[in-house]
Amino acid sequence: LRARCAAIVLAELGIEADPAIAATLLIDAIAFRAYDDVAPLLAGLADAGVGVAVVSNWDCSLPEALAAAGIQVEHVVASGSSGSSKPDPAIFGVALDVLGVAPGRALHVGDTEETDGVGARAAGIDVRIVDRGEAAGGADTIRALTDVLDLL
């Protein structure tokens, strides 16, 4: 998958190169950084005994990417390894299974209504969409991840 994506980038840029090598170089050039509110959110959830799973449309390298960004979670559900991707509710079902939680006892926090909101709601999960912009608002919208702690 990465080599195919790299081949598209190379073709669009008009560069003649081996897509497998380009994929490695492209991935190595990306530096992921967690938002400042991630650590306090995860600490607060851990203190409250709340299980956490990251659900993402990503490949099998997601655990390593999260670790490189300083994000440590016990459960990671990536589309590349789960067999489904958001907004398919099946990927959320995988997360519920690994957490051992019923949909009505779960909350999904995402950044896109079209994938996160639609998919999680279809799985019976409550949703909050993070909107860090000035126009943030609405019952299902939060401005910071730590706003989740107010819901406990």
Side-chain angles (χ1 to χ4, degrees):
L1 176 61
R2 288 181 180 180
R4 288 193 319 232
C5 291
I8 292 168
V9 170
L10 292 171
E12 289 296 316
L13 294 175
I15 298 172
E16 296 279 335
D18 179 346
I21 294 171
T24 301
L25 294 173
L26 288 169
I27 291 297
D28 288 347
I30 298 171
F32 296 101
R33 185 183 67 80
Y35 283 101
D36 292 339
D37 53 358
V38 171
L41 169 67
L42 293 176
L45 293 173
D47 289 347
V50 176
V52 175
V54 170
V55 178
S56 184
N57 289 344
W58 197 275
D59 65 21
C60 61
S61 69
L62 181 57
E64 292 81 16
L66 292 170
I71 300 171
Q72 298 295 326
V73 293
E74 185 175 354
H75 304 288
V76 177
V77 180
S79 59
S81 56
S82 71
S84 61
S85 59
K86 299 184 290 183
D88 184 345
I91 193 169
F92 297 96
V94 172
L96 293 170
D97 289 345
V98 298
L99 288 167
V101 175
R105 302 272 306 149
L107 174 69
H108 177 74
V109 179
D111 61 358
T112 309
E113 176 60 34
E114 295 76 20
T115 55
D116 294 299
V118 170
R121 284 188 195 93
I125 301 170
D126 193 14
V127 176
R128 293 298 181 276
I129 300 297
V130 179
D131 184 348
R132 297 174 189 277
E134 293 297 317
D140 293 343
T141 304
I142 57 176
R143 291 190 135 206
L145 292 173
T146 49
D147 292 348
V148 170
L149 299 174
D150 295 335
L151 302 173
L152 299 180

